[in-house]
Amino acid sequence: MNKAFISIGSNIGEREIYLEEAVKALSDREDTKVESISSIYETAPVGYTDQADFLNIVIGIETTLTASDLLSVCQGIEQELGRKRVIRWGPRTVDLDILLYNEEKIETESLIVPHPRMAERAFVLIPLLEIAPDQVNPLNGQLYSEEAAVQEEGVQIWCHASEGTYFKGK
Ligand code: X6L
Ligand code: MG
Ligand code: MG
């Protein structure tokens, strides 16, 4: 069994529904178990800033899929949920990015793991550290929690993991 972490973001339409549908699509699979789900964070857009705020989460999964097959599955879910690639770094119904796959370093034409620059993105690191505070960066062996002071600006809790109608327990 392989352990992976996936960042999921949405900034079009019913953002929470897209997150929920993406998690459900993964958890419905025989080959994948969703082990942990962070709180939902509302986050200011990074990269291309002239777009709506995102909802972001990070999930931890166990899967028998290879990293390459997991990427295909994530891209299939994005397509199912209506993602259209219009502008680079632009608005999207849903985006699933593989952050980590075991403690492997992967560099192929289509996939780089750990996700490049994930350690600089608060909308990734804050939810990751919530569910995996002891996670080590496979590139340098350092704890993500100690690598850099996490800049929390632009990232706030939107729905706490322990609260409400969120998809925990469904
Ligand atoms: C210089 C140049 C500095 C580019 C930063 C950062 C580019 C992040 C792209 C960058 C640069 C990205 C999300 C987002 C995107 C998301 C929030 C990206 C790719 N996805 N902002 N921006 N949440 N809050 O999921 O991350 S586009
Ligand atoms: Mg992304
Ligand atoms: Mg992506």
Side-chain angles (χ1 to χ4, degrees), residues 7-19 22 43-57 74-75 77-99 115 117 121 123-124:
S7 164
I8 310 177
S10 170
N11 77 335
I12 295 181
E14 290 289 329
R15 300 171 299 171
E16 184 185 10
I17 303 293
Y18 286 117
L19 299 183
T43 66
V46 177
Y48 173 76
T49 55
D50 187 19
Q51 59 180 325
D53 286 351
F54 283 75
L55 293 185
N56 283 104
I57 61 174
C74 288
Q75 290 172 338
I77 293 169
E78 291 177 350
Q79 290 308 303
E80 283 287 306
L81 294 176
R83 178 159 184 190
K84 302 279 185 297
R85 287 176 189 268
V86 189
I87 12 179
R88 191 178 186 210
W89 302 338
R92 66 284 303 269
T93 54
V94 75
D95 173 39
L96 289 86
D97 293 331
I98 301 173
L99 302 175
H115 190 282
R117 299 173 304 283
R121 293 180 191 175
F123 70 80
V124 171

Side-chain angles (χ1 to χ4, degrees), residues 4-75:
F5 290 91
I6 298 175
S7 164
I8 310 177
S10 170
N11 77 335
I12 295 181
E14 290 289 329
R15 300 171 299 171
E16 184 185 10
I17 303 293
Y18 286 117
L19 299 183
E20 188 169 345
E21 290 293 324
V23 174
K24 184 170 183 303
L26 284 166
S27 64
D28 280 350
R29 299 180 58 86
E30 294 277 321
D31 52 31
T32 301
K33 182 160 186 277
V34 176
E35 288 276 339
S36 51
I37 310 178
S38 73
S39 297
I40 306 179
Y41 293 81
E42 189 164 49
T43 66
V46 177
Y48 173 76
T49 55
D50 187 19
Q51 59 180 325
D53 286 351
F54 283 75
L55 293 185
N56 283 104
I57 61 174
V58 170
I59 64 172
I61 65 168
E62 289 212 332
T63 185
T64 56
L65 294 168
T66 64
S68 165
D69 286 340
L70 180 60
L71 175 65
S72 300
V73 165
C74 288
Q75 290 172 338

Side-chain angles (χ1 to χ4, degrees), residues 16 37-42 55-57 130 156-168:
E16 184 185 10
I37 310 178
S38 73
S39 297
I40 306 179
Y41 293 81
E42 189 164 49
L55 293 185
N56 283 104
I57 61 174
E130 179 190 344
Q156 52 187 350
I157 293 252
W158 186 80
C159 180
H160 199 277
S162 65
E163 276 175 9
T165 58
Y166 186 37
F167 35 76
K168 288 254 160 56

